[in-house]
Amino acid sequence: MTGDRSSATDRTRIIEAAKAWLGTPYRHQASLCGVGADCLGLVRGVWRDVIGPEPEQPGAYSADWAEATGEERLLQAALRHMTRLPRDAARPGDMLLFRIVERGPAKHAAILVDGFVNGGTILHAYSGHDVCETRLTAGWQRRLAGAFQFPKPLV
């Protein structure tokens, strides 16, 4: 998939939907606004709220996201359902994937709220933290595994 398939309105809807999850407690494998979510659960919930039904279920996954095997489950799923973007083309409302371990698989997802200029901000959830908006620091930027654009809404 290539090209810009989302309008400014769609991107605004994605960010507004993601912000509705702020404060949702961290719960591994959960995806229910206000009740519990992990980083993938946040993206899945925003997908349902803005795009429509989820294209696939992730199945069970461990918190280490296959670090021992190097399997790229999260990255491969993003490639199946979203448009990959060059890093410098990522805009607010796009999903970002990160490698926590330099040579490990992508295992963390976030939604870009404010572009890369001056660090920007992302919405995400991680162990011990509710869904929150944080700075896209140089540390996060070094770990970036890919930027992806959501498809056009089905509804």
Side-chain angles (χ1 to χ4, degrees):
M1 290 185 226
T2 60
D4 187 353
R5 302 179 322 150
S6 67
S7 69
T9 302
D10 296 338
R11 290 174 177 282
T12 299
R13 287 178 58 207
I14 289 166
I15 293 167
E16 287 173 354
K19 284 188 173 190
W21 289 69
L22 284 168
T24 297
Y26 178 86
R27 299 283 184 270
H28 179 64
Q29 292 189 310
S31 182
L32 190 56
C33 187
V35 176
D38 60 10
C39 63
L40 178 59
L42 168 64
V43 172
R44 292 175 54 216
V46 169
W47 183 293
R48 290 189 307 266
D49 291 346
V50 178
I51 310 304
E54 293 177 61
E56 68 180 82
Q57 293 298 310
Y61 54 90
S62 64
D64 71 5
W65 271 100
E67 280 180 0
T69 65
E71 184 182 6
E72 289 280 11
R73 286 181 59 193
L74 191 57
L75 183 61
Q76 291 301 320
L79 290 168
R80 282 193 298 276
H81 304 292
M82 302 175 93
T83 302
R84 190 165 197 168
L85 303 167
R87 174 192 180 113
D88 61 351
R91 296 187 297 165
D94 290 333
M95 182 189 73
L96 304 178
L97 292 182
F98 300 92
R99 298 182 193 289
I100 303 304
V101 176
E102 184 178 346
R103 298 193 200 291
K107 64 180 242 177
H108 187 66
I111 296 174
L112 186 62
V113 175
D114 186 20
F116 284 96
V117 177
N118 298 323
T121 58
I122 55 175
L123 281 164
H124 59 146
Y126 55 104
S127 184
H129 295 81
D130 297 347
V131 174
C132 59
E133 185 171 357
T134 59
R135 302 293 305 162
L136 184 58
T137 63
W140 281 116
Q141 290 186 40
R142 277 193 307 277
R143 292 176 173 90
L144 187 65
F148 297 85
Q149 183 178 350
F150 283 87
K152 270 193 121 16
L154 300 174
V155 291

